[in-house]
Each structure stands twice: as structure tokens, then as C-alpha cells.
Amino acid sequence: MFLNVKLLLCALQNCYLNSIAKKVASLTAQKRSSASMANGFSFKDSVVTGNGTGLVYLGRAWADYSRVVFSYTFMDKVVRPQGWSDWGNPKRDARVYYGEYKCSGPGANLTGRVPWARILTDEEAEPFLGTYYVEGDTWLINP
Ligand SMILES: *[C@@H]1O[C@H](CO)[C@@H](O)[C@H](O)[C@H]1NC(C)=O
Ligand SMILES: *[C@@H]1O[C@H](CO)[C@@H](O)[C@H](O)[C@H]1NC(C)=O
């Protein structure tokens, strides 16, 4: 296992995520395994860049109810147009919670996004914008 993403500085707010992946990789693999679990990742005011040759997913479903939200984040073209991966488990499409809110940059272009990515409304985004929402298990994973 090796890290394909360099976490340069982060408190899940003002994060700078730089992917050095050479192959398909994922920035996060959040493992929320039931709908009642409160955990998830929320990245706010962050930057996603890459200098590797591989494009990255914003998240890959490590468990059925994986939950990740990116808000106010600049995404460079290193982000795959699809944005998110169910990791080969289509039943997860309806269960995961992968949200984007007011992101910018070429990687935030929603044209190619998987249909189950959520473009959050102000109301939906609100719970993820507070600094209290920083619980998580682990992130940064092997490809
Ligand atoms: C990408 O950046 C990392 C970290 O700065 C560096 O170690 C690596 O050599 C760079 N890769 C390329 C292809 O420039
Ligand atoms: C988003 O991507 C599509 C398809 O590649 C492209 O046609 C469109 O111009 C892009 N939109 C922006 C705002 O860059």
C-alpha cells in the first residue's frame, strides 16, 4: 500500500490535496456502513490539484453509506469527470452521500458526473459547513 495523494495541510477545512497518482485513484474512501452513523468527511474551502498522470475520483465508496462533501473547493482538471466511484457496487449508488456545493475550477464541471452525485442546495449543504462536522475514520487510501 502506498499513498497516492499528498495531504499537505488540512483540518478538513482549507485543505490542499495534491494527487501524485499515476493511475486511477481516489482522494477519499469514507467508510460509513449504516445510514444511522454520523460520520463522514466534509472538505470546505479546499484545493484539489494533481501532478501525477492519473485522474482521481473525489470519493470511492468503501461502505454502503459512504458520505463525503466538498464545498467551496477549487478542483483542477485532475478530477475525473465522473467525480465519484461506487467501487463496482451499483447498489451503493442510492445509499452513498456524495455532495458538492459551490465548487469551482475545471474539475468541478458537473457535465460528466455520475447521476447519483448530489449537487447540494443551500439547505442541504448547511450541516456540512460547520466546523463540527469533522468526524471520520480514515482517509487516504491505496488505489
Ligand atoms: C509531484 O509532486 C510530488 C510532491 O511535490 C513530487 O514528489 C513528485 O515528484 C511530483 N511528480 C511529478 C510527476 O512531477
Ligand atoms: C464542462 O464540460 C463540458 C464537456 O466536456 C463542456 O462542453 C463545457 O463547456 C464545460 N463547462 C465549463 C463551464 O467549462
Side-chain angles (χ1 to χ4, degrees), residues 14-91:
N14 306 118
C15 295
Y16 175 49
L17 308 170
N18 181 45
S19 170
I20 56 171
K22 293 199 177 69
K23 292 188 284 188
V24 176
S26 179
L27 292 176
T28 66
Q30 202 278 330
K31 195 178 176 183
R32 178 169 170 255
S33 52
S34 105
S36 60
M37 288 170 74
N39 63 340
F41 298 133
S42 174
F43 294 90
K44 185 184 166 198
D45 295 317
S46 299
V47 175
V48 176
T49 60
N51 71 340
T53 49
L55 298 183
V56 297
Y57 289 108
L58 298 170
R60 179 179 80 181
W62 192 4
D64 283 3
Y65 295 88
S66 182
R67 179 162 58 180
V68 181
V69 170
F70 282 86
S71 57
Y72 300 105
T73 293
F74 176 86
M75 298 177 185
D76 208 346
K77 55 184 188 307
V78 67
V79 176
R80 295 182 74 82
Q82 295 91 328
W84 306 91
S85 165
D86 60 18
W87 209 3
N89 284 276
K91 72 170 182 178

Side-chain angles (χ1 to χ4, degrees), residues 96-110:
V96 296
Y97 191 103
Y98 287 155
E100 295 174 61
Y101 181 69
K102 296 189 193 277
C103 293
S104 61
N109 185 335
L110 300 170

